[in-house]
Structures are given as structure tokens and as C-alpha cells.
Amino acid sequence: MPALLETEIGDLVLHARGKVRDLYEVGEFLLLVATDRISAFDHVLATGIPGKGTVLTQISLFWFNFLKDIVPNHLITADLNQYPEELHDYDDELRGRSMLVKRAQMFPVECVVRGYLSGSGWKDYQATGAVCGIPLPQSLRESDKLPEPIFTPATKSLHGKHDENISFDQMVSLIGTKSATALRGLSLAIYQKASNHAESRGLILADTKFEFGTTAEGIILADEVLTPDSSRFWPRDKYAPGGAQPSFDKQFVRDYLESIHWNKQAPAPGLPDEVVKKTQEKYFQAYELLTGKSLSL
């Protein structure tokens, strides 16, 4: 099947187009469509991963239901039969990869939780002995489990720039003490429940990031949640701290781009079939491990 790289849904107003998702206005609601685009090093690549958008949507739907006792979410329905009539001509394009969601006033922060020392957290620790200003024990290795999960917020990237890690005090200055404290508590509670589930499925949830917004009902969980695009999942049986871990994400893509010495400037290159296939397999495997179900396209 070909990769869906961009959508155009009739006369609907395009509310926003992100690196992966296209967001349309549908009356008082929004239509969130996950494409098969894939980004690396802050650039959307010329080649997509067929079925990736469906995997991301179905994983998010699983987690929204799993976590609803902790925090409400923005989902209204993912059932095409319940979509407004104006969308029915686009069933083939929307099936499995779309959600009708509530509009929310989004907080301008990424809520990151880290249970293991990896990625930018590892680089920060090597330089400062801390992660986002949070002191950690000496002599930790890359991928070591932290004494307890830590909350390390970041500003949301705009116009292709990197997310920037910030301190909790900086988060307070952006959104206020009450909201910052609430989001930190929710993020840590979600991480703990999701981490326990992942562990039961043979996976380690190393770190993840959440987005929250507010509606008339209060704080809700929005966008995607606990997918391979927003989280590091490692196979537990291969866990070996002291270096990078195999993961269920786009590592094959990053490795390929490093191997061709791309300068990480536009235009972004395409991907060979083998890299596309291996990456696709990782995404589908992540869904099956997390949910216990198989996914066919």
C-alpha cells in the first residue's frame, strides 16, 4: 500500500498541519488525521512509512481508554459511522487513522517524564550531573533506570525548531503554579500506570511526553499518547544499560540518515525500501505488544 503523505478533506478548513498530523475544523470539533509522514532531526522526510498513521492512531486510542480513570481526554469518537455526514465521502482516507476530537486551549509545554537516562537527558547528565536541573546520583550509565521517574518539561517546538528543555520553575512562569503542579502530577501518574502495563507486556517505557489542554470541563489529555513517535519503548529481554538500547521507534531511519552523512538541512532525503520496511515492522510490533492485538491494513 502507498504511504499517505498529505490529506485534503473536501472543503474543510485546515486548522493546522504538523509533522505527522493534519487537523481540520469540523463545526465545534476538530478532525485529527495521522498521515504516514515521518520526521527525523526536525525535518519531514520525502518518504513515508505506509500504515504508520494508522498504528499511531490505534495506539493512542488504546491508551486514551486505558488512562481515562486518571485524566479525561479529547476523544469524541473514532467510529466513522458517527462522523458528520460531510466526512462520509472520505471514509477510505480516514478509516483507522482519524479521530474526531474536542477543541481545547492547549498548554504551551511538552510534559516529559523520564524513568531511564537516555537521549537529551543522558547528554545533559554527562555535562552537568543533572537532567533539566534535577540532580542525579553520580556514576550513572547511559540507559540506567533512575531512582524514581522525573518530570522534565520542554517548550513546544515552533517552525521546525528543537523542543527546549526547561525547569519546572520556568514552566510555572509560563502557565502558573496551579496548572504546572497539576500537569506534573498527572504526567507522573500516567507514566507510572503506563510503565506498569508496558512491563507486563515485555516492554520498558524509558521516557515519554504528553500534551494537555483545557476545556470547560477542566484539564484533558490531547494529541497523541504513548506512541513510538512520542515515547521510547525498549524490549525488556534485551535491556543492557551502559549504552543505547534497541527501541520501537524510528531508529532505523536515524541510523540510515547518519550513515549517508546528511547535513540535516532541507530538503530532506528519501528512504530506501529496506529502511521503510524495517521501520514499518517496528511500529506494527509496538502496537501488537502493547495491545495484545494484531493490526492489518
Side-chain angles (χ1 to χ4, degrees):
M1 63 175 292
L4 178 66
L5 296 181
E6 192 167 293
T7 63
E8 187 174 338
I9 310 299
D11 297 326
L12 293 186
V13 174
L14 181 66
H15 183 79
R17 177 164 279 145
K19 290 177 182 174
V20 174
R21 287 165 184 79
D22 295 344
L23 195 59
Y24 294 91
E25 298 180 8
V26 183
E28 63 180 303
F29 307 125
L30 294 172
L31 178 69
L32 192 66
V33 187
T35 71
D36 297 330
R37 296 192 293 267
I38 191 165
S39 66
F41 306 113
D42 293 316
H43 289 273
V44 176
L45 303 185
T47 308
I49 307 297
K52 174 176 175 280
T54 300
V55 172
L56 297 181
T57 300
Q58 295 305 312
I59 289 178
S60 289
L61 290 172
F62 167 79
W63 286 116
F64 281 139
N65 181 64
F66 186 83
L67 299 166
K68 62 186 179 183
D69 63 325
I70 295 178
V71 61
N73 58 70
H74 69 167
L75 177 67
I76 296 169
T77 185
D79 182 353
L80 297 183
N81 295 322
Q82 297 182 31
Y83 282 11
E85 188 174 347
E86 63 195 291
L87 298 179
H88 289 174
D89 288 342
Y90 303 92
D91 282 0
D92 288 345
E93 197 168 354
L94 298 177
R95 182 172 290 106
R97 65 169 70 244
S98 66
M99 295 184 275
L100 200 64
V101 302
K102 302 172 186 175
R103 291 178 185 253
Q105 182 66 42
M106 300 300 291
F107 289 103
V109 288
E110 301 272 8
C111 292
V112 181
V113 181
R114 304 173 189 271
Y116 292 73
L117 193 55
S118 186
S120 64
W122 167 240
K123 292 178 182 177
D124 193 1
Y125 175 78
Q126 286 179 295
T128 68
V131 176
C132 298
I134 301 173
L136 294 175
Q138 295 181 357
S139 303
L140 291 178
R141 299 164 295 175
E142 182 178 6
S143 303
D144 263 339
K145 185 175 184 178
L146 300 177
E148 61 182 13
I150 58 175
F151 179 72
T152 61
T155 55
K156 286 186 182 179
S157 65
L158 295 174
H159 310 301
K161 296 181 180 178
H162 277 294
D163 294 346
E164 181 183 344
N165 293 335
I166 58 175
S167 68
F168 183 73
D169 287 343
Q170 288 174 296
M171 181 178 176
V172 167
S173 71
L174 285 173
I175 66 173
T177 301
K178 183 178 179 181
S179 293
T181 302
L183 295 189
R184 179 174 61 183
L186 286 172
S187 298
L188 289 167
I190 292 170
Y191 176 85
Q192 194 59 62
K193 183 169 183 177
S195 180
N196 289 342
H197 173 76
E199 185 83 12
S200 75
R201 302 293 304 169
L203 295 172
I204 290 171
L205 176 57
D207 55 47
T208 188
K209 64 181 179 180
F210 308 114
E211 291 197 37
F212 295 94
T214 58
T215 67
E217 288 75 38
I219 294 175
I220 63 170
L221 182 61
D223 197 53
E224 65 175 331
V225 59
L226 293 156
T227 73
D229 270 14
S230 65
S231 316
R232 282 189 180 87
F233 289 103
W234 298 335
R236 191 180 59 190
D237 61 352
K238 292 184 172 61
Y239 175 57
Q245 307 297 302
S247 59
F248 293 90
D249 62 5
K250 44 195 173 187
Q251 194 58 49
F252 285 120
V253 172
R254 296 190 196 98
D255 291 346
Y256 168 74
L257 294 174
E258 294 285 16
S259 75
I260 63 172
H261 306 293
W262 174 44
N263 64 5
K264 302 180 178 66
Q265 302 294 320
L271 301 172
D273 290 345
E274 181 183 2
V275 174
V276 170
K277 185 173 184 295
K278 286 182 177 179
T279 303
Q280 182 189 53
E281 288 171 355
K282 281 292 183 184
Y283 276 86
F284 276 77
Q285 190 179 7
Y287 172 83
E288 292 174 2
L289 286 170
L290 287 169
T291 68
K293 302 176 182 178
S294 61
L295 187 63
S296 58
L297 298 176

